[in-house]
Amino acid sequence: MDENTGGTMKITDHIDALDRAGRALADAAEKAGPEAAVPTCPEWRIRDLLRHTTAVHRWATTLVVERHASPPPFGDGPDLDGDALLAYYREGHTALVAALRAAPETLECWTFLPSPSPLAFWARRQAHETTVHRADAESALAAGAGPVDPSVAADGIDELLCGFHGRDRSRVRSPEPRTLRMRTTDTGDTWTVRLSADEPPRTERGDAAAATGNAAADTPDAELSGPADRLYLTLWNRLPADAVTLTGDEGLARLWRENSGI
């Protein structure tokens, strides 16, 4: 299972990331306790986070194992709490990891973003679903969210920009054409996001100016830059805007932040 998933990571890399993130989420939830507030999701307590995430894991497992051609109903979270809820979450996470590891590369089932294959899609999507919610669980602890592996973070930025915001349902629009660049200072990745009034954002991987040698022709109106994990968590609205560096038009960066929630 070494097929590329659309970013720079392989299917096995994503499943490993899902495995690590899910275990870390459970550890943080256990330390915080079910009643602890989740600062990154102000309407939630840890019990709500666990109920939601295990529902997602079990739903994705059903899709992969039963090979549904359309999405099955998304069930409510379990009516459990405390140790029983934590055990139920761990069981569901373990089952999802096992299902993805056992699935054939020829797996056919429903997906909702472009991907080389359904297996590549679900491995990638659940890796990032769980990594972001791991950060949510850790935000309930005094130390806050821990670091994300730079390669995982850069891949997650790519999924967000090229996948989620490549869809018509993206709410990010600009009255006039504008360009926003995202740049990781540690992995060397860049994404140039072109905004307009009538279409969803159009994202180009890499630095077009560097490729053409014409910097003046492709200077963005604003740039957000920082270490990959800080940029990743900021773009997923898990860190404040000042966790990364803004160069250029503050209003454009604010427009993105206020309209880019998934």
Side-chain angles (χ1 to χ4, degrees), residues 36-256:
V38 180
T40 52
C41 301
E43 71 279 13
W44 277 358
R45 302 282 176 174
I46 283 290
R47 65 171 59 87
D48 302 307
L49 174 64
L50 287 174
R51 287 169 180 165
H52 167 78
T53 309
T54 194
V56 172
H57 285 171
R58 288 165 186 268
W59 178 75
T61 300
T62 297
L63 268 160
V64 170
V65 172
E66 299 181 6
R67 306 186 185 189
H68 288 271
S70 59
F74 186 81
D76 296 331
D79 187 19
L80 298 171
D81 206 349
D83 291 344
L85 175 59
L86 191 60
Y88 187 83
Y89 162 81
R90 285 186 164 125
E91 178 186 70
H93 168 252
T94 298
L96 174 59
V97 171
L100 290 168
R101 291 201 195 283
E105 292 185 23
T106 56
L107 172 72
E108 292 292 336
C109 67
W110 176 80
T111 63
F112 60 87
L113 293 177
S115 183
S117 73
L119 179 57
F121 169 79
W122 283 111
R124 187 188 206 193
R125 178 78 291 277
Q126 290 306 302
H128 294 300
E129 175 82 14
T130 309
T131 298
V132 170
H133 285 320
R134 185 216 81 184
D136 291 330
E138 291 173 346
S139 76
L141 302 175
V148 178
D149 179 271
S151 62
V152 173
D155 182 83
I157 296 168
D158 188 85
E159 185 205 39
L160 179 66
L161 299 179
C162 299
F164 281 102
H165 286 294
R167 301 187 296 175
D168 289 341
R169 69 175 62 184
S170 174
R171 295 180 294 108
V172 184
R173 299 288 192 276
S174 171
E176 57 187 30
R178 308 300 297 279
T179 304
L180 177 62
R181 181 163 297 148
M182 315 295 189
R183 180 171 61 87
T184 60
T185 55
D186 49 354
T187 66
D189 293 292
T190 60
W191 298 264
T192 300
V193 185
R194 302 188 187 281
L195 306 180
S196 66
D198 301 322
E199 294 184 335
R202 300 302 180 195
T203 299
E204 302 164 6
R205 297 182 179 97
D207 188 339
T212 63
N214 185 3
D218 201 43
T219 301
D221 296 296
E223 178 181 279
L224 296 175
S225 63
D229 75 325
R230 302 294 91 181
L231 186 58
Y232 174 67
L233 292 176
T234 299
L235 292 176
W236 276 104
N237 295 323
R238 265 53 185 193
L239 287 178
D242 60 6
V244 296
T245 300
L246 167 64
T247 304
D249 185 350
E250 182 178 345
L252 180 58
R254 185 169 58 253
L255 179 148
W256 178 272

